[in-house]
Amino acid sequence: MTHNAKPIAEWDHDTLREECGVFGILGHPEAATLTALGLHALQHRGQEAAGIVSFDGKQFHSERQLGLVGDHFTDPATVGRLPGHLAMGHVRYSTTGETILRNVQPLFAELEVGGIAIAHNGNFTNGLTLRKQLISQGAICQSTSDTEVVLHLIARSKKIASSDRFIDALMHLEGAFALVAMTRTKLIGARDANGIRPLVLGDLDGKPIFASETCALDIIGAKFVRDVENGEVVICETQPDGTITIDSVKPFAPRPERICLFEYVYFARPDSIVAGRPVYSARKRMGINLAKEAPVEADVVVPVPDGGTPAAIGYAQASGIPFELGIIRNHYVGRTFIEPTQSIRAFGVKLKHSANRAEIEGKRVVLIDDSIVRGTTSVKIVQMIREAGAREVHIRVASPMIFHSDYYGIDTPDPENLIANQHPDLESMCRFIGADSLAFLSIDGLYDAVGGVKRNPLSPQFTDHHFTGDYPTKLTDLNGRSKNDPKMLSLMKEAS
Ligand code: AMP
């Protein structure tokens, strides 16, 4: 979901990245409680705000709050205000620092066809363009979120059935979306044509569920049924006789699925199965491949927790170097990125990690992280490990260098703030970070780890835009504002 906290004219795409998780369940008497639990399992996808909407057969109810799911939705009084057999929810994180309640999802509107709620993980790359068009045609926007665009498009559709109107709206969208929507009788899940963000269909005692990741099914003991396919709209509906039907529609021209590799690198929870592949084993294999590609003589393999842990286990196994928890993470602080400014981010790393001196002192340490984005974490951690007495510090990163920003719902800074674009070569980057050596997993190593395949640009299996700049969709909103990303203009030309 894109959040536009500034007036449109001042729109700055560096402030727009969001990370989100979605969940919905139809036909269960404890729908809101189960949604709260599902959102709790998806908390890693967004920690700034959470919301749940329910329908009790007569009325829609909505609770939207800033903060963690557990801050509000463990309170029986809050969940008590969300009665009904149908509920859906959303967790959200935006980088704006201006998170305001009216932007917290699910968004809800009363339309000609009745009430509809919608929650979005992803980012519309033409959201701003659509929004401008709608406003110029007289639309009044309640929020500064581009997810609201979908509500307007549904409202304007000439189709009769709410699900047809929903599909009609989707046809205008560009970019990445895993959407969950609900009406009085329906729960709908949809993924964009490329399937950039994940969405699964689950089942709890015959009641259908949509969730961003399988970990949200596990927490409530629900069965995994299948992934919602790329370009698929799944419509679950309670019929007048009380039975639930599940229909599938594929409104887009068929394309190969291109799920985002960053789900495997960093975003998804390691116990989730994303597009049929366990995230944990993909991460571990990234570490194994990294050990083969970038071996180093060392005494101990230390993960940057938590993201680097599975890859570090793989690296240790493949290299034969002992694995130790040389860095201890304080779990009572949010992710490094979860603070709004660069200065606080840097401080956040210190709050979050501390060196386990006994395992580090006098040793040659291989530090494993899942990714390097701005470089903030690496600089602080290397300094910390040296201060704890490490003899050598070698960094091995379980993903390739990130040269390109994400425009599909994962928080990344503008290209010029990515460390890979700030240094002419690996050596200079290594010096800046203060390590004795630095190496990244190759793109082939990543493809092999995740899919057991070789990268084939002619028949893409994933989207790897962070590393290659190969964006699978048009980037309409970025047109004319891509001066910081030289590759962008040519790519946009190709895509259009
Ligand atoms: P940086 O400090 O900017 O180099 O960020 C790299 C660190 O942040 C790594 O330890 C990753 O685990 C983590 N990370 C990578 N991508 C993201 C993201 N989109 N949001 C939050 N944290 C991230």
Side-chain angles (χ1 to χ4, degrees):
M1 183 207 85
T2 294
H3 164 69
N4 180 7
K6 295 179 181 179
I8 287 173
E10 290 172 37
W11 185 72
D12 161 8
H13 70 263
D14 191 32
T15 63
L16 288 185
R17 305 281 73 77
E18 295 215 2
E19 306 181 330
C20 302
V22 293
F23 184 95
I25 179 162
L26 171 67
H28 200 287
E30 303 281 345
T33 305
L34 293 166
T35 302
L37 287 164
L39 293 180
H40 176 67
L42 297 172
Q43 190 78 81
H44 60 287
R45 295 185 77 89
Q47 294 97 347
E48 271 189 3
I52 299 180
V53 169
S54 74
F55 181 69
D56 66 4
K58 286 197 185 86
Q59 257 182 299
F60 286 89
H61 304 269
S62 165
E63 288 285 327
R64 301 183 299 162
Q65 305 273 0
L66 302 182
L68 299 175
V69 178
D71 293 344
H72 308 286
F73 293 99
T74 43
D75 180 356
T78 311
V79 181
R81 290 193 294 272
L82 294 161
H85 285 54
L86 172 55
M88 60 179 268
H90 187 260
V91 286
R92 166 177 193 265
Y93 155 59
S94 86
T95 57
T96 59
E98 294 177 39
T99 298
I100 40 175
L101 210 46
R102 66 196 161 94
N103 282 331
V104 178
Q105 299 195 29
L107 298 183
F108 175 79
E110 276 303 343
L111 307 180
E112 195 186 350
V113 278
I116 185 158
I118 186 157
H120 175 204
N121 171 212
N123 182 55
F124 305 134
T125 51
N126 64 341
L128 184 74
T129 308
L130 287 171
R131 192 180 158 87
K132 277 180 176 170
Q133 278 166 10
L134 288 161
I135 289 176
S136 74
Q137 290 160 12
I140 297 165
C141 290
Q142 298 285 323
S143 75
T144 55
S145 147
D146 79 341
T147 303
E148 196 177 354
V149 158
V150 186
L151 290 175
H152 285 286
L153 292 170
I154 296 170
R156 276 152 198 252
S157 168
K158 300 278 178 278
K159 296 278 188 330
I160 312 268
S162 56
S163 43
D164 291 339
R165 284 172 169 245
F166 178 76
I167 291 166
D168 218 16
L170 298 189
M171 304 314 285
H172 297 268
L173 304 174
E174 188 188 276
F177 54 83
L179 285 168
V180 174
M182 72 185 233
T183 65
R184 298 160 75 95
T185 55
K186 291 175 192 154
L187 182 69
I188 306 174
R191 276 175 89 200
D192 66 79
N194 293 290
I196 296 171
R197 299 264 76 85
L199 188 68
V200 296
L201 176 66
D203 176 288
L204 183 66
D205 306 327
K207 316 301 178 201
I209 296 170
F210 292 110
S212 292
E213 291 180 36
T214 55
C215 64
L217 303 178
D218 297 336
I219 192 175
I220 55 170
K223 276 192 306 222
F224 167 75
V225 176
R226 65 179 179 86
D227 289 299
V228 174
E229 288 176 27
N230 57 305
E232 186 185 21
V233 182
V234 178
I235 303 158
C236 309
E237 181 167 14
T238 308
Q239 300 298 332
D241 65 0
T243 56
I244 293 175
T245 54
I246 302 181
D247 285 326
S248 160
V249 184
K250 295 214 171 144
F252 307 104
R255 315 177 55 125
E257 178 176 27
R258 294 185 71 179
I259 194 154
C260 178
L261 277 174
F262 221 67
E263 291 283 344
Y264 297 97
V265 168
Y266 169 80
F267 201 14
R269 227 170 77 162
D271 55 334
S272 284
I273 316 273
V274 172
R277 304 172 196 96
V279 174
Y280 179 81
S281 45
R283 284 187 190 157
K284 208 167 140 189
R285 213 155 136 187
M286 288 172 209
I288 292 172
N289 289 351
L290 189 57
K292 288 185 200 146
E293 289 181 9
V296 60
E297 286 215 359
D299 304 308
V300 64
V301 174
V302 169
V304 177
D306 290 327
T309 304
I313 292 172
Y315 194 100
Q317 279 180 6
S319 65
I321 304 169
F323 169 96
E324 296 295 351
L325 293 176
I327 299 171
I328 303 302
R329 179 175 159 187
N330 184 331
H331 283 267
Y332 305 98
V333 217
R335 286 180 172 197
T336 324
F337 269 51
I338 305 308
E339 295 87 14
T341 67
Q342 179 73 21
S343 58
I344 301 180
R345 264 187 197 110
F347 184 53
V349 176
K350 277 195 174 163
L351 285 177
K352 207 164 117 177
H353 297 115
S354 62
N356 184 4
R357 182 176 277 272
E359 295 302 328
I360 286 171
E361 203 162 11
K363 294 195 179 152
R364 295 169 301 171
V365 175
V366 197
L367 268 184
I368 311 282
D369 206 350
D370 58 274
S371 56
I372 297 187
V373 183
R374 294 177 174 86
T376 319
T377 310
S378 312
V379 170
K380 294 282 163 197
I381 294 247
V382 169
Q383 196 187 337
M384 190 181 80
I385 295 289
R386 287 208 191 279
E387 282 168 10
R391 201 144 50 90
E392 291 172 20
V393 184
H394 302 274
I395 300 196
R396 295 293 177 271
V397 186
S399 58
M401 270 194 234
I402 299 175
F403 292 104
H404 305 273
S405 303
D406 185 273
Y407 303 110
Y408 300 123
I410 289 190
D411 172 46
T412 42
D414 263 350
E416 74 270 19
N417 292 323
L418 293 166
I419 190 173
N421 292 329
Q422 293 173 333
H423 296 271
D425 51 38
L426 197 62
E427 223 171 90
S428 149
M429 205 190 296
C430 180
R431 259 198 314 276
F432 175 80
I433 289 173
D436 292 290
S437 77
L438 170 67
F440 291 79
L441 183 64
S442 69
I443 191 86
D444 287 337
L446 179 60
Y447 268 71
D448 176 74
V450 177
V453 291
K454 252 192 113 52
R455 180 171 192 264
N456 179 358
L458 299 176
S459 166
Q461 306 97 324
F462 299 102
T463 176
D464 55 17
H465 52 274
H466 299 95
F467 316 114
T468 63
D470 174 17
Y471 292 92
T473 71
K474 288 193 205 170
L475 300 170
T476 300
D477 287 346
L478 286 176
N479 219 337
R481 33 175 105 247
S482 52
K483 60 185 188 310
N484 299 322
D485 192 347
K487 249 189 141 179
M488 184 74 75
L489 276 176
S490 63
L491 284 162
M492 281 196 308
K493 252 191 226 144
E494 275 169 36
S496 56

